[in-house]
Amino acid sequence: MTASGTFHIGGDLEVRRLGFGAMHLRPETAEDRARCVAVARRAVELGVTLIDTAHMYGWGANEDLLAEALHPYPDDLAIATKVGFRQTTTDQGWRYAGTPDELREQVDEALRRLRLDRIDLLQLHRLDPGVPLADQLGALRDLRDEGKIARIGLSEVDEDELTAARAVVDIAGVQNRYNLLDREHEPVLKACEEAGIAFLPWRPVAAGTSGAQSEQITTIAKELDATPTQVAIAWLLAHSPVIVPIPGTSSITHLEENVGAAGVHLTQDQYDRLTR
């Protein structure tokens, strides 16, 4: 089964179907920063054309790091980021921030940190339960119309929320937790398939150790001379044409392993065994 290829997010943004999630790039020391910069640059060298970040990842530090590592960005590299949270001093450490003014402020901050004139895919990290959905998405629609963002996405939504959101504005992507061993959001994936919406699974490899949790994954990995992680990602790519996995890591070795999953091709029998 062919596992790689490309997908057009929003119908017009072509990306390779194996992106990179930057969440694990946490530059706490100078040594860490150099390592994280190297990982981001290696991802681009390996042909990754979609990198996903968020304001919440280090409260802007992750976006700053990507700009340091990759700006000026290659013409074919798309940057996705997320807004909708603010840091607090509470035990939880964050609060929802989905008012139109807060969303606009966060988008402006992201543009400055990423050194961009326009964000390719701006995702609402979570729906703010204290703000009407139409107000949240209306603000993003206005920012899109102003040219500050190109496409709008959502994160951790159910079918009803996706339907309600699409009544307000075009949705180009959905980022939900999903992997071979955790398919809670299968109905959302199917809704994305029907609408041609990109589905970006976060945590695409369960706990990072799929092989340890499934004898079937380990067996098929041996059959393919691949790693269990590569098999788990290859299954995602084969499972739906709208899935664009964004596995993350802070290790170049693991990055190369993840990207190598695009070259792992499951037979129909192997795919069926994994799906069962």
Side-chain angles (χ1 to χ4, degrees), residues 3-275:
S4 53
T6 63
F7 183 80
H8 288 80
I9 298 177
D12 63 343
L13 177 64
E14 184 176 14
V15 298
R16 293 184 180 176
R17 285 187 58 222
L18 192 51
F20 175 67
M23 181 179 70
H24 296 291
L25 302 184
R26 300 173 181 173
E28 297 176 359
T29 66
E31 183 179 357
D32 288 339
R33 192 169 196 87
R35 173 177 49 79
C36 291
V37 165
V39 170
R41 290 175 176 168
R42 183 60 178 149
V44 173
E45 289 173 359
L46 291 170
V48 168
T49 59
L50 173 66
I51 293 182
D52 176 80
T53 181
H55 172 240
M56 193 182 195
Y57 303 162
W59 303 111
N62 197 264
E63 293 170 326
D64 281 330
L65 176 84
L66 291 177
E68 176 185 334
L70 301 173
H71 189 272
Y73 303 104
D75 290 341
D76 64 346
L77 181 64
I79 302 293
T81 192
K82 296 180 284 294
V83 296
F85 289 133
R86 277 297 189 194
Q87 187 177 22
T88 68
T89 57
T90 64
D91 291 340
Q92 182 171 256
W94 59 269
R95 65 170 177 81
Y96 291 106
T99 67
D101 286 346
E102 288 177 308
L103 293 174
R104 178 174 289 275
E105 182 180 21
Q106 288 181 70
V107 167
D108 285 340
E109 290 171 359
L111 287 167
R112 175 180 53 78
R113 284 191 294 261
L114 290 165
R115 305 179 204 172
L116 288 169
D117 296 322
R118 184 175 68 169
I119 296 167
D120 294 307
L121 176 63
L122 191 286
Q123 303 157 100
L124 192 55
H125 211 147
R126 295 292 187 275
L127 300 180
D128 187 335
V131 179
L133 178 64
D135 290 353
Q136 298 177 68
L137 294 178
L140 299 186
R141 181 186 58 216
D142 291 345
L143 288 161
R144 183 198 62 190
D145 293 346
E146 293 168 21
K148 292 187 174 183
I149 61 181
R151 299 157 198 89
I152 296 168
L154 303 171
S155 180
E156 281 303 283
V157 293
D158 60 28
E159 285 179 280
D160 291 341
E161 290 167 334
L162 176 57
T163 299
R166 293 183 64 213
V168 179
V169 69
D170 292 336
I171 299 299
V174 170
Q175 188 172 145
N176 279 16
R177 189 191 70 252
Y178 185 89
N179 57 63
L180 176 56
L181 303 180
D182 178 2
R183 304 184 212 172
E184 175 186 348
H185 292 296
E186 189 79 25
V188 180
L189 169 59
K190 296 305 178 186
C192 287
E193 282 183 358
E194 293 173 3
I197 295 171
F199 186 86
L200 288 66
W202 64 269
R203 196 177 293 163
V205 181
T209 55
S210 288
Q213 300 178 36
S214 170
E215 183 178 350
Q216 190 67 265
I217 297 175
T218 303
T219 298
I220 291 174
K222 291 178 180 177
E223 293 172 6
L224 293 169
D225 192 24
T227 68
T229 291
Q230 288 175 330
V231 168
I233 296 173
W235 178 85
L236 284 172
L237 291 166
H239 186 54
S240 170
V242 305
I243 287 182
V244 183
I246 47 170
T249 180
S250 60
S251 159
I252 286 181
T253 299
H254 291 158
L255 169 67
E256 292 173 345
E257 176 187 6
N258 293 342
V259 174
V264 174
H265 303 287
L266 304 173
T267 66
Q268 185 65 51
D269 174 69
Q270 289 166 335
Y271 170 79
D272 292 342
R273 284 153 58 195
L274 290 167
T275 302

